[in-house]
Amino acid sequence: SQQGEEDPQALSIQEGENATMNCSYKTSINNLQWYRQNSGRGLVHLILIRSNEREKHSGRLRVTLDTSKKSSSLLITASRAADTASYFCATALYNFNKFYFGSGTKLNVKP
Amino acid sequence: EAGVAQSPRYKIIEKRQSVAFWCNPISGHATLYWYQQILGQGPKLLIQFQNNGVVDDSQLPKDRFSAERLKGVDSTLKIQPAKLEDSAVYLCASSLGLADNSYNEQFFGPGTRLTVL
């Protein structure tokens, strides 16, 4: 299966701390995307990193991609209670936008 | 810009009944996806359309699930007959669908929560 797998499955931190989530996948990808899902809601796209990129920033988010290890990490700096959500990585293959989602990391940021 | 619309938001049915979900993607988006998300799991792709053609339906249980995207815009997903294990949130998403998918983020609708009793 191409499906990405996130690690850890759950993470609980205090507000202000950094949160790091990892994603591993199995085959070559075109790009990797991270999504956030608040409880009971749809997914929201956070950031996309292409296979020829190694690092990308967006606000408090930092994503890295290591294609040799087939892994990615999402770092949320200075976390806030509002960051409490499930975070999913999605790997996009080269052919026609096929996406595969992992099982997610459930982040809880305590105020 | 309007987002992806889905209806209904909630549906409760008994097993063996049929149900249909509707999705209206963002205008101009060529690719449309239907996902099934069981509680505590990540979204599982059921079917992917590029305009009105099916790109991938390898994980669609075709004995009971069907989907169509007439005219390459709106889409409906049907389950007939429903089973208890079909209880899940059904998410619709769309993307630009460029041939080079390097920029193709997906935009998700709010989902339909299905409960099968």
Side-chain angles (χ1 to χ4, degrees):
Chain A
S1 164
Q2 169 60 31
Q3 190 176 37
E5 293 298 331
E6 289 90 341
D7 170 61
Q9 288 186 326
L11 182 60
S12 184
I13 59 174
Q14 291 293 139
E15 204 165 29
E17 293 181 337
N18 295 341
T20 300
M21 290 158 261
N22 303 296
C23 170
S24 59
Y25 58 93
K26 293 183 179 177
T27 62
S28 295
I29 60 173
N30 179 299
N31 65 74
L32 185 145
Q33 303 179 26
W34 285 90
Y35 289 79
R36 181 186 71 222
Q37 186 176 39
N38 292 90
S39 180
R41 299 192 177 184
L43 285 87
V44 174
H45 180 264
L46 294 176
I47 196 165
L48 180 155
I49 185 165
R50 297 194 293 276
S51 59
N52 61 351
E53 297 175 315
R54 291 297 167 258
E55 188 171 314
K56 208 161 181 181
H57 296 255
S58 176
R60 294 184 295 113
L61 306 179
R62 173 178 166 252
V63 169
T64 61
L65 179 65
D66 187 334
T67 53
S68 66
K69 294 181 180 178
K70 293 187 170 60
S71 67
S72 173
S73 67
L74 170 67
L75 169 67
I76 303 174
T77 60
S79 63
R80 304 166 182 169
D83 295 328
T84 294
S86 290
Y87 292 81
F88 296 90
C89 69
T91 50
L93 305 188
Y94 281 93
N95 54 328
F96 280 109
N97 309 305
K98 288 191 178 185
F99 284 92
Y100 296 91
F101 280 85
S103 51
T105 292
K106 198 165 185 177
L107 174 66
N108 179 35
V109 181
K110 294 177 281 188
Chain B
E1 178 183 88
V4 176
Q6 288 188 249
S7 69
R9 292 294 311 277
Y10 304 91
K11 190 73 177 179
I12 300 174
I13 61 172
E14 296 192 349
K15 60 183 179 183
R16 291 188 289 274
Q17 286 186 323
S18 62
V19 64
F21 312 126
W22 173 82
C23 173
N24 185 16
I26 292 173
S27 177
H29 279 195
T31 308
L32 185 147
Y33 311 80
W34 282 103
Y35 290 91
Q36 179 193 59
Q37 186 176 25
I38 293 172
L39 186 65
Q41 299 182 17
K44 171 187 156 187
L45 179 68
L46 292 176
I47 189 166
Q48 177 182 339
F49 293 94
Q50 181 77 9
N51 296 309
N52 61 352
V54 175
V55 171
D56 183 3
D57 63 357
S58 56
Q59 299 191 92
L60 186 74
K62 298 181 187 64
D63 58 333
R64 298 184 300 106
F65 286 63
S66 65
E68 60 183 10
R69 192 184 183 196
L70 300 176
K71 302 179 182 178
V73 181
D74 292 8
S75 177
T76 55
L77 175 69
K78 296 179 182 176
I79 307 175
Q80 182 180 13
K83 293 185 175 181
L84 296 176
E85 59 260 36
D86 298 332
S87 293
V89 175
Y90 290 84
L91 296 164
C92 178
S94 69
S95 68
L96 280 170
L98 301 172
D100 170 5
N101 70 9
S102 297
Y103 302 91
N104 284 320
E105 68 177 270
Q106 294 183 66
F107 295 84
F108 281 82
T112 296
R113 184 176 297 276
L114 173 67
T115 302
V116 182
L117 303 175

